[in-house]
Structure formats: C-alpha cells, structure tokens
Amino acid sequence: MSAMKFDLIVIGGGPGGYVAAIRASQLGMKTALVEREHMGGICLNWGCIPTKALLRSADVYELFHRAEEFGLAADNVRFDIGAVVKRSRQVAKRLSSGVAGLMKKHKVSVFDGEASLKAGEAAPGVVVKGKDGKTQTLSADHVILATGARARTLPKAGLEPDGKLIWTYKEAMVPETMPASVLVIGSGAIGMEFASFYHTMGAQVTVVEMVDRILPAEDAEISALAEKTFRKKGMSIFTSAQVGGLKTGAKSVTAQVTGKDGKAHSIEAERVILAIGITGNVEGIGLEALGVTLDRGHVAADGYGRTNVKGLYAIGDVAGAPWLAHKASHEGVICVEAIAGLHPHAIDKTNIPGCTYCHPQIASVGLTEARAREAGHELKIGRFPFVGNGKAIALGEDQGLIKTIFDARTGELLGAHMIGAEVTELIQGFAVGRTLETTEAELMHTIFPHPTLSEMMHESVLDAYGRALHI
C-alpha cells in the first residue's frame, strides 16, 4: 500500500503542533496532524488551562474570606473539591473541542494514533498506529516534531510518583479529596502554582527547593519578594535543600530533607507533588535510528526548528526550554513560514514572556538584573510599588512591585519583572516594547490610562531615570 502524500506532517496536536498545522494550511500546504491522545496537548488538557481554572476557584475562595474588607458579608464559606475539579475539566474539554473544530475549518487531515519515523527520501516517513492497532504510512517533504514533554522523575533518588500519595501535575489537578497537608518538591512555575492553590484551599503546604531561592528563573529581587509573601501567608519553604527519598505509609508520605546546614530531618505530608522539571517525549519515535541529535532529553533544533536530519523539524517542549505554550506556538509559525520561504526572524528567546499564576502573580520578560550585568551592561533600574497605585489600592491588592531594567548608554529596555495582581496581563506591554526595540524615551512618552495598574509600568520607567511622579 502506497503512502498517503502531504506537503507537511505535524506530529503532536499541542499548542505548537496545531498552530503549525493551521499556519501551514493558511499558506496552501496540504497538511496532516497526528495526535495520539488529546487535541490541544498537555497545555489545554492537563496543563496551562485547567490549572488556571483551579487557581481561579482559589482566588474567588480567598476573596470570599476577605468579604468584610470590601463591606460585604459571606458567612459559612466552603468549597466542594469535586465541583472545583469538574469545572476545571469542563473548561479543558471546551477548549480541546475548539481545537478539533479549528482543524476541520482549516482542512487539516487529523490522524488519531501514535506516530513513528522511518527513513525517507526528502524527509522521514511517518507510520501511524491507530487505536485499533492498524497502521498507515504518511509521507511529506517536511515533518515537524511537536511531541511535547512529560513530568521529570528521579527514580534513582527515590523521587517517583505512584499516582496515589506521590503525584505529578496530572494527579494534582484532579484530587478526589482535599489533603490536609502537601509537600511540593520544586519551586518553579508549576510547583508554586500548585503550592498556591492548595494553600489557599486550606492545606498546610511545604515547598522544598534544591537551589538557594524559589522561582530560580526569575529576577532575584522578585524571587525574594515572592518568598517573603508566601512565608507571611503561612507556607513553609526550604531552599538549598535536598530530598533524600520518599517513604510512603498508609495515608501519608515522609520525606527525608537535608537543609543548607547539612542537617537531615523528616517532613510528613498527606500528599507529595513532584515539580522537578520536565523531559521531552523523544522515546519510541525512531529518532535514534535516524541519527537525530538529542540534547539533555530534548531534540536539538535551531532558531527555525531545523534538526540535523533533512526535512525534520522540532518545536515546543520537545525542543527544549523555555517550556511554554506560547513559545511552542511561535516556534510553529516561524518553522512553517521558513519552510514556505517567507524568511521569518529566528526566535529570540529573550523576548518570550514568562508567567506564574500563583497569588501573587509573577511575570517577566527579557534579562534579569544579574544576567544584564553579566552581559556587561551598565544599568538604569526603575521600581514602582503597588502601594503607590490608586487602582491597586481600590482592588485591595496593594502589595507588589514593577521593576524595569535599561541599558544606561542606549536606553534599550533589557528586561521587566513584576509581582502582584494581574501582572500576567501587564507583562505583554513590555513584551511588545522589546519586540519594537523600544527605549525609555518611547515608554516615557506613552500615555497610560488612569486609573489602571498599567500606570505602574510607566512609573517604573520614569523611576529608572529619576523622574517618578508618585513615589
């Protein structure tokens, strides 16, 4: 049986893969997409979207407990964890169905099954094994790998999930009951979002991080403010700490933790959430036989998604950090446009904003202060606190900070870092500024509406040059 012929085959229907397929269709390519499980990938089904639905429930629950502060009364506030989880799953299902609709609209041929690669002429061939066990072969001049990633585990270190008491993000999203205590191992975005959710919903939360600060990818000043805030809320945090192993009991888990002082002690919790990173889905695809270059569990690719194998590309989580849905989508567009000969700009990872949806929210784009100094820049740094902003005070969200970093010689916006209410929405203003290669002059002359949280962005820029008006 001859292979079905396409211009482009995309393996994986997550935010990278389905966007790449849509863009290819827009450019007139006959496109196929292979997805083994859920349209929308981990992001829509078990990641970005359902976690935000959970966190929204937590935010509303916390506001109910602050009702008196706003002149309101809310007695007997309680929650139904089953209903909270059900809403989260319904949100995910709605968006996953929407992606399936987009595939039909753009006439992308979707194949339900697991893909593997074999040697081909212009590009590797693709064999799809359906859920019924039957196989079919597809061919194209170009094949994009968008197979995503999964939670990292460390079996040799005793850090391995069992799906019952020791969870990955997947189990942590669908708890049947609310645990009284939770130990979160790892304090990146995933770890701190779950720590924030479970703490707000009433669990006693402990976070263990192996490096010297939580949220280590963020600017050190923002990390310090976040840790101070979480500790004030009642969260226990151990940094520069190692977990030597996990021992499960009938209803709880005991972790052996060695602190920065070298002393070991035990921490017991009803549930443990492993948030120690992710690793690319590179197994079982046939990459080794094709000689595809791998780099620390991910496929090595350039700024256009090209791998070392002719006609094979890699985008999104499988292609490495940062592991963000919007990075994957943008890589998909760039990859397809390069294939089509449109000469797009290679992806610039310093222009990718990062967001953490804990409470308080955290967002950033560009260089941290430390990275900017390491790169040899002389800096001008501006800061503006939420307590100086009228909208923040009116919202009852007066704790937070906007920090901006400029090159003192050229005025280039090197980075922006935020902690506080709705900063995950605000950060895009500075992301646009970075893309437009703005300097402080354009930002100073931009008129920001009043009263808004965005005014703090303006004030932070002004502060970098000694011109702040409201502090």
Side-chain angles (χ1 to χ4, degrees):
M1 183 177 175
S2 61
M4 295 179 65
K5 177 69 176 176
F6 295 89
D7 298 317
L8 174 71
I9 301 168
V10 181
I11 301 175
Y18 85 73
V19 167
I22 289 172
R23 186 67 184 121
S25 177
Q26 290 173 342
L27 292 172
M29 297 184 197
K30 184 181 179 183
T31 305
L33 185 145
V34 184
E35 171 53 47
R36 69 179 181 181
E37 197 169 5
H38 304 294
M39 287 303 296
I42 292 296
C43 177
L44 265 64
N45 293 280
W46 292 102
C48 326
I49 301 302
T51 54
K52 303 313 161 283
L54 292 177
L55 287 160
R56 175 59 175 166
S57 292
D59 287 343
V60 173
Y61 185 60
E62 182 172 32
L63 274 174
F64 270 125
H65 283 87
R66 296 174 56 195
E68 188 177 349
E69 181 184 326
F70 296 91
L72 306 172
D75 302 323
N76 250 351
V77 178
R78 60 195 184 281
F79 64 87
D80 177 345
I81 191 61
V84 170
V85 170
K86 182 180 179 182
R87 176 180 182 270
S88 171
R89 301 315 308 154
Q90 287 173 335
V91 169
K93 183 179 179 181
R94 177 177 173 182
L95 286 167
S96 182
S97 300
V99 173
L102 286 172
M103 295 299 97
K104 290 180 181 178
K105 175 183 176 182
H106 290 280
K107 297 179 173 59
V108 174
S109 298
V110 176
F111 293 83
D112 296 320
E114 193 152 354
S116 59
L117 301 173
K118 65 176 185 176
E121 296 179 7
V126 178
V127 178
V128 181
K129 183 179 180 181
K131 294 175 182 177
D132 58 2
K134 296 180 180 179
T135 63
Q136 52 188 320
T137 302
L138 315 179
S139 68
D141 292 334
H142 308 278
V143 176
I144 296 177
L145 282 178
T147 51
R150 63 187 183 278
R152 184 170 173 241
T153 61
L154 299 173
K156 292 181 179 179
L159 302 181
E160 192 169 21
D162 63 8
K164 297 177 181 178
L165 301 180
I166 305 171
W167 294 343
T168 65
Y169 62 85
K170 199 165 187 178
E171 293 84 15
M173 264 186 277
V174 289
E176 293 181 1
T177 59
M178 179 56 60
S181 55
V182 175
L183 170 62
V184 180
I185 303 176
S187 73
I190 294 173
M192 293 316 298
E193 286 183 359
F194 279 121
S196 184
F197 170 74
Y198 279 98
H199 181 267
T200 301
M201 302 305 279
Q204 176 57 52
V205 173
T206 301
V207 177
V208 175
E209 171 56 55
M210 67 180 296
V211 302
D212 61 356
R213 59 190 176 94
I214 65 169
L215 296 159
E218 299 296 337
D219 184 86
E221 188 173 355
I222 300 299
S223 290
L225 282 172
E227 183 172 335
K228 182 180 178 181
T229 302
F230 289 132
R231 287 186 186 278
K232 188 176 180 180
K233 285 173 175 277
M235 206 179 285
S236 298
I237 297 174
F238 296 87
T239 54
S240 300
Q242 296 278 353
V243 179
L246 300 172
K247 183 178 180 181
T248 57
K251 296 183 179 180
S252 65
V253 183
T254 301
Q256 298 301 318
V257 179
T258 303
K260 62 181 73 175
D261 57 4
K263 295 180 180 179
H265 56 282
S266 298
I267 297 176
E268 185 178 1
E270 288 190 8
R271 298 293 183 273
V272 171
I273 300 174
L274 299 178
I276 50 179
I278 63 175
T279 186
N281 292 324
V282 298
E283 302 87 358
I285 309 172
L287 302 182
E288 299 85 353
L290 292 172
V292 176
T293 300
L294 301 180
D295 180 15
R296 291 168 291 180
H298 296 83
V299 177
D302 67 9
Y304 298 96
R306 297 176 296 209
T307 72
N308 65 307
V309 173
K310 180 183 177 183
L312 182 66
Y313 309 80
I315 63 170
D317 287 356
V318 76
W323 300 284
L324 301 167
H326 45 283
K327 173 256 196 185
S329 296
H330 195 69
E331 281 182 325
V333 171
I334 288 173
C335 182
V336 168
E337 290 185 350
I339 289 170
L342 298 183
H343 307 293
H345 291 292
I347 192 165
D348 180 354
K349 292 184 179 180
T350 65
N351 283 346
I352 301 172
C355 299
T356 303
Y357 297 82
C358 48
H359 193 184
Q361 293 181 6
I362 293 156
S364 60
V365 68
L367 300 178
T368 63
E369 180 179 348
R371 289 281 178 87
R373 293 192 190 282
E374 288 169 8
H377 294 280
E378 183 183 343
L379 306 180
K380 283 189 176 293
I381 299 174
R383 299 173 179 84
F384 195 83
F386 273 53
V387 74
N389 177 261
K391 179 68 177 292
I393 294 170
L395 290 175
E397 298 284 357
D398 64 355
Q399 296 302 301
L401 179 72
I402 308 288
K403 177 178 180 178
T404 47
I405 303 169
F406 294 89
D407 182 281
R409 184 176 63 85
T410 65
E412 177 189 357
L413 173 65
L414 298 174
H417 308 274
M418 309 176 175
I419 180 170
E422 299 304 326
V423 297
T424 57
E425 298 292 339
L426 297 179
I427 195 62
Q428 189 58 18
F430 285 131
V432 170
R434 289 266 306 164
T435 299
L436 295 176
E437 300 181 351
T438 190
T439 69
E440 91 289 353
E442 289 83 15
L443 292 170
M444 285 182 180
H445 287 106
T446 299
I447 300 172
F448 288 72
H450 173 79
T452 63
L453 298 175
S454 68
E455 292 174 275
M456 292 183 287
M457 299 165 65
H458 192 216
E459 289 278 5
S460 181
V461 174
L462 292 171
D463 183 61
Y465 291 84
R467 294 174 52 180
L469 300 171
H470 292 93
I471 51 172

